[in-house]
């Protein structure tokens, strides 16, 4: 009696897991199936529009990830180690874009940096420079939406490093910078890499904030996800174009994931 | 002096105030957890700042509240081994040891230190692949590599089993002798303190209650509290009844006990406490024909076996105090401690230490 009850439970668990897994697999199978049926994916990928979108996506995401590391690492370290007034507020605001719809982030960016924005207006008045419809705006939108993923991961990475290690390093004569470079960062390495990958991937996929703040200009602000939207809305690429672009994004994501797993595995055994 | 230390700090209700000096010796900082021992090491290393005070290492003032001097830990010459060891797990054993090494020291120095601590051949290993004792030695080698005149050790052997601890303690004594270091060693383990200490500083509630040569502290505690902390089993209450040629005579439970001379002045009739360690009490089966002071008859009330030693709780047959006695296994057997319960107890005057009553 007991045994058959266990069997039923096991069967139920396997069934539920199978349904869930199938739900994840089917959409990707659909993409591949559609691409094979269309048969012109390769030609589409070689069109000017797709090429430009791909190049733009790649370099803006990479730049975004770079800026996130440069500016986000000190913030993450301070949040992990220091107790200062307003810490909770900074912490909450950095989390905000993670839970906020990216479209809201886009509107928020417009109200701050747009032509009538909080500081966008004075900047245009003094220098004539506007943020909107430029690649700069693409990076800004990506940064606001994606950088929190890096900061979050880096912060928990730094928190997981025993402060006692740093204190001992100080007593061994190591400066704060040397301690960070030789002890803290290497110990937090897997988390830093994870955060970097998350940030980069999120930037690659950024749509809402970019669309609203940077617009959808081919070659300047039209990144891959925007090109997919345009294809749906009837641009020259059509639905087949959307499928082709999606496949590229999927392939890029796969490559990054595999590379990340390898890096993480290496980091944890190092 | 390799170390001159004086510091005060209030941490909430906890008031820390201590003063210590040491020169080429191993000073055990002894006390319960939270007594201020580890805090002392943090003040010296610069990881924590005293409210007031002055600290000098090998003649160099590293902290002086009056003159506004407060060198960062990086510039204080101490080697610090923390309780959790805090080895750098992502670095090899050799890299750990080399981490704090002065720039002029060559790679040979790492090799020498590893050889000194019996770690040759482990250069390329990661700390986590080592045994507990090896990890302790890596931490010690890393601290020694700093070439600091003062070594601060915070319960470094607490995670080890007894066999390893014995080995490490011997090693530490050897290092102190070979390298001529001043070592501050924090522990709450009485046996460890006994084994290692040249001097003992007894901490309680943020204060040093007594600081002196090991035998002095263990056999002549300055107060009842020190006697309790250092594991004196017999603290007898009495009253000064008179003085003879050697020292005071104290009346305890109806008998007069001749005691060791006291440094503090005593009055006739003054209430005092007498300390005698359990292992200093003499037991006999009966009078041995010689007239001896401080003898009385007693009966075994309770006893405990610890393998190598036996602890007996005795109650007096007539006048005299109840006492706890520690006997080594062999004398215990010879005296038939297991089968016979009647004893003659002798408290040697030289081992009876008179303290203030409270």
């Amino acid at each position: 009696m007991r045994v058959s009850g266990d069997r039923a439970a096991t069967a139920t668990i396997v069934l539920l897991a199978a349904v869930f897994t199938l739900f994840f697999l089917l959409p990707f199978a659909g993409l591949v199936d559609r691409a094979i049926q269309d048969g012109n994916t390769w030609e589409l990928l070689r069109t000017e529009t797709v090429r430009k979108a791909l190049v733009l996506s790649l370099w803006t995401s990479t730049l975004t990830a770079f800026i996130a590391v440069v500016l986000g690492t000190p913030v993450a370290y301070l949040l992990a180690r220091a107790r200062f007034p307003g810490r909770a507020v900074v912490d909450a605001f950095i989390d905000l874009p993670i839970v906020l719809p990216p479209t809201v982030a886009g509107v928020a960016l417009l109200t701050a940096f747009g032509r009538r924005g909080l500081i966008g207006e004075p900047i245009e008045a003094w220098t004539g420079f506007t943020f909107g419809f430029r690649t700069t705006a693409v990076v800004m939108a990506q940064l606001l939406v994606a950088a929190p993923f890096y900061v979050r991961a880096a912060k928990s990475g730094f928190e997981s490093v025993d402060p006692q290690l740093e204190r001992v390093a100080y007593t061994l004569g190591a400066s704060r910078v040397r301690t960070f470079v030789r002890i803290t960062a290497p110990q937090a390495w897997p988390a830093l890499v994870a955060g970097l990958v998350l940030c980069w991937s999120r930037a690659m996929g950024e749509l809402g904030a970019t669309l609203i703040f940077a617009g959808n200009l081919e070659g300047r602000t039209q990144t891959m996800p925007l090109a997919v939207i345009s294809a749906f809305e009837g641009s020259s690429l059509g639905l087949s174009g959307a499928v082709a672009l999606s496949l590229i994004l999927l392939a890029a994501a796969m490559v990054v994931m595999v590379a990340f797993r390898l890096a993480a595995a290496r980091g944890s055994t190092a | 002096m390799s170390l001159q230390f004086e510091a005060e700090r209030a941490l909430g209700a906890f008031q820390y105030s201590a003063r210590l000096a040491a020169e080429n010796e191993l000073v055990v900082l002894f006390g319960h957890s939270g007594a201020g021992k580890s805090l002392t090491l943090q003040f010296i290393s610069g990881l924590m700042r005293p409210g007031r005070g002055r600290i000098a290492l090998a003649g160099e003032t590293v902290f002086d509240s009056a003159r506004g001097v407060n060198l960062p830990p990086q510039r204080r010459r101490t080697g610090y081994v923390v309780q959790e060891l805090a080895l750098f797990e992502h670095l090899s054993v050799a890299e750990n040891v080399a981490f704090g090494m002065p720039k002029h020291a060559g790679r040979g120095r790492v090799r020498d230190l590893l050889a000194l601590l019996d770690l040759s051949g482990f250069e390329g290993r990661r700390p986590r692949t080592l045994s507990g004792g090896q990890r302790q030695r890596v931490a010690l080698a890393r601290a020694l590599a700093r070439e600091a005149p003062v070594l601060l050790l915070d319960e470094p052997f607490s995670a080890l089993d007894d066999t390893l601890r014995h080995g490490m303690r011997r090693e530490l004594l050897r290092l102190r002798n070979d390298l001529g270091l001043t070592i501050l060693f924090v522990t709450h383990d009485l046996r460890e303190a006994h084994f290692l200490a040249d001097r003992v500083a007894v901490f309680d509630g943020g204060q040093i209650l007594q600081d002196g040569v090991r035998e002095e502290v263990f056999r002549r505690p300055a107060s009842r509290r020190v006697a309790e902390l250092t594991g004196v089993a017999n603290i007898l209450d009495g009253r000064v009844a008179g003085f003879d040629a050697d020292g005071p005579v104290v009346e305890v439970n109806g008998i007069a006990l001749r005691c060791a001379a006291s440094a503090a002045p005593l009055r006739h009739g003054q209430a005092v406490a007498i300390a005698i360690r359990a292992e200093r009490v003499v037991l006999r089966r009966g009078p041995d024909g010689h007239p001896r002071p401080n003898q009385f008859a007693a009966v075994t009330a309770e006893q405990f076996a610890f393998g190598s030693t036996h602890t007996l709780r005795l109650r007096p047959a007539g006048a005299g105090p109840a006492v706890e006695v520690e006997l080594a296994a062999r004398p215990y057997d010879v005296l038939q401690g297991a089968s016979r319960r009647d004893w003659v107890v002798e408290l040697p005057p030289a081992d009876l230490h008179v303290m203030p009553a409270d």
Side-chain angles (χ1 to χ4, degrees), chain A residues 164 170-172 174 182 186-187, chain B residues 74 84 86 90 100 142 146:
Chain A
Q164 191 79 303
Y170 298 155
T171 69
L172 289 167
R182 288 282 318 271
Q187 293 259 340
Chain B
Q74 287 89 341
E84 317 79 84
H90 63 291
R142 184 179 63 180
R146 183 103 158 99

Side-chain angles (χ1 to χ4, degrees), chain A residues 162 164-176 178-179 181-187 268-270, chain B residues 42 45 47 73-74 76 78 80 82 84-91 95 99-101 126 128 142-143 146:
Chain A
D162 185 358
Q164 191 79 303
L165 293 177
E166 295 172 356
R167 289 152 59 86
V168 165
Y170 298 155
T171 69
L172 289 167
S175 66
R176 295 191 84 118
R178 177 159 183 256
T179 301
V181 172
R182 288 282 318 271
I183 305 299
T184 316
Q187 293 259 340
S268 62
T269 54
Chain B
Q42 294 189 22
S45 65
L47 290 176
Q74 287 89 341
R76 300 190 183 193
T78 62
Y80 193 178
V82 296
E84 317 79 84
L85 301 184
L87 294 176
F88 305 139
E89 300 288 351
H90 63 291
L91 301 178
E95 287 167 333
F99 189 84
M101 207 167 263
R126 300 274 167 190
R128 78 163 63 85
R142 184 179 63 180
R146 183 103 158 99

Side-chain angles (χ1 to χ4, degrees), chain B residues 42-248:
Chain B
Q42 294 189 22
F43 285 149
I44 295 172
S45 65
L47 290 176
M48 203 150 180
R49 191 182 193 284
R52 260 168 25 83
R54 182 175 175 277
I55 303 167
L57 296 167
E60 183 194 13
T61 301
V62 297
F63 178 79
D64 189 340
S65 55
R67 287 169 40 213
V69 178
N70 183 23
L71 296 189
Q74 287 89 341
R75 293 184 50 207
R76 300 190 183 193
R77 298 189 54 216
T78 62
Y80 193 178
V81 177
V82 296
Q83 196 172 352
E84 317 79 84
L85 301 184
L87 294 176
F88 305 139
E89 300 288 351
H90 63 291
L91 301 178
S92 70
V93 166
E95 287 167 333
N96 265 275
V97 174
F99 189 84
M101 207 167 263
K103 288 228 165 52
H104 58 80
R107 307 196 76 192
R109 171 100 178 111
V110 174
R111 218 171 27 240
D112 293 348
L113 271 171
L114 291 178
L116 183 71
L117 287 164
D118 206 14
L119 286 166
S120 298
F122 291 100
E123 287 81 354
R125 296 271 290 269
R126 300 274 167 190
R128 78 163 63 85
T129 67
L130 303 180
S131 73
Q134 289 163 342
R135 290 170 58 82
Q136 308 268 7
R137 293 204 294 269
V138 173
L140 202 51
R142 184 179 63 180
L144 287 170
R146 183 103 158 99
E147 292 178 13
V150 176
L151 199 55
L152 309 170
L153 308 178
D154 196 348
E155 308 215 15
F157 306 150
S158 57
L160 295 187
D161 65 49
D162 269 355
T163 322
L164 283 171
R165 286 175 85 143
H166 284 308
M168 284 303 296
R169 290 165 180 166
R170 259 196 297 278
E171 221 144 353
L172 195 60
L173 290 179
R174 182 167 61 87
L175 284 172
R176 188 220 33 195
N177 292 338
D178 294 355
L179 306 178
L181 294 168
T182 291
I183 304 176
L184 296 195
F185 189 103
V186 164
T187 185
H188 62 265
D189 181 331
L190 203 56
R191 287 167 60 207
E192 199 157 66
H194 250 297
F195 187 81
L196 288 171
D198 297 314
R199 267 178 45 213
V200 177
V202 179
F203 276 78
D204 190 42
Q207 322 277 324
I208 296 180
L209 299 185
Q210 188 173 3
D211 169 17
V213 178
R214 176 184 56 186
E215 287 308 310
E216 182 72 21
V217 172
F218 284 127
R219 296 197 25 205
R220 283 181 281 282
S223 64
R224 177 186 284 269
R225 181 71 181 143
V226 173
E228 286 167 0
L229 287 170
T230 56
V232 175
N234 301 300
I235 301 171
L236 316 172
D237 290 306
R239 205 165 278 283
V240 177
F243 299 89
D244 71 3
D246 299 321

Side-chain angles (χ1 to χ4, degrees), chain B residues 213-338:
Chain B
V213 178
R214 176 184 56 186
E215 287 308 310
E216 182 72 21
V217 172
F218 284 127
R219 296 197 25 205
R220 283 181 281 282
S223 64
R224 177 186 284 269
R225 181 71 181 143
V226 173
E228 286 167 0
L229 287 170
T230 56
V232 175
N234 301 300
I235 301 171
L236 316 172
D237 290 306
R239 205 165 278 283
V240 177
F243 299 89
D244 71 3
D246 299 321
V249 177
V250 177
E251 200 221 293
V252 177
N253 275 23
I255 64 164
L257 295 175
R258 286 161 62 185
C259 301
S262 159
L266 297 169
R267 284 178 289 101
H268 198 281
Q270 183 182 342
V272 291
I274 302 174
I276 179 168
R277 304 192 71 85
E279 68 272 18
R280 309 299 303 183
V281 177
V282 178
L283 284 187
R284 289 198 179 78
R285 270 296 160 213
D288 65 347
H290 298 279
R292 294 179 189 278
N294 301 354
Q295 290 203 115
F296 59 95
V299 180
T300 306
E302 275 185 294
Q303 54 175 308
F304 310 94
F306 294 98
S308 58
T309 62
H310 293 258
T311 295
L312 281 69
R313 296 229 171 103
L314 308 181
R315 62 180 156 73
V323 287
E324 187 174 309
V325 187
E326 192 181 305
L327 273 184
R330 178 72 188 163
Y332 175 83
D333 288 345
V334 170
L335 288 168
Q336 296 174 283

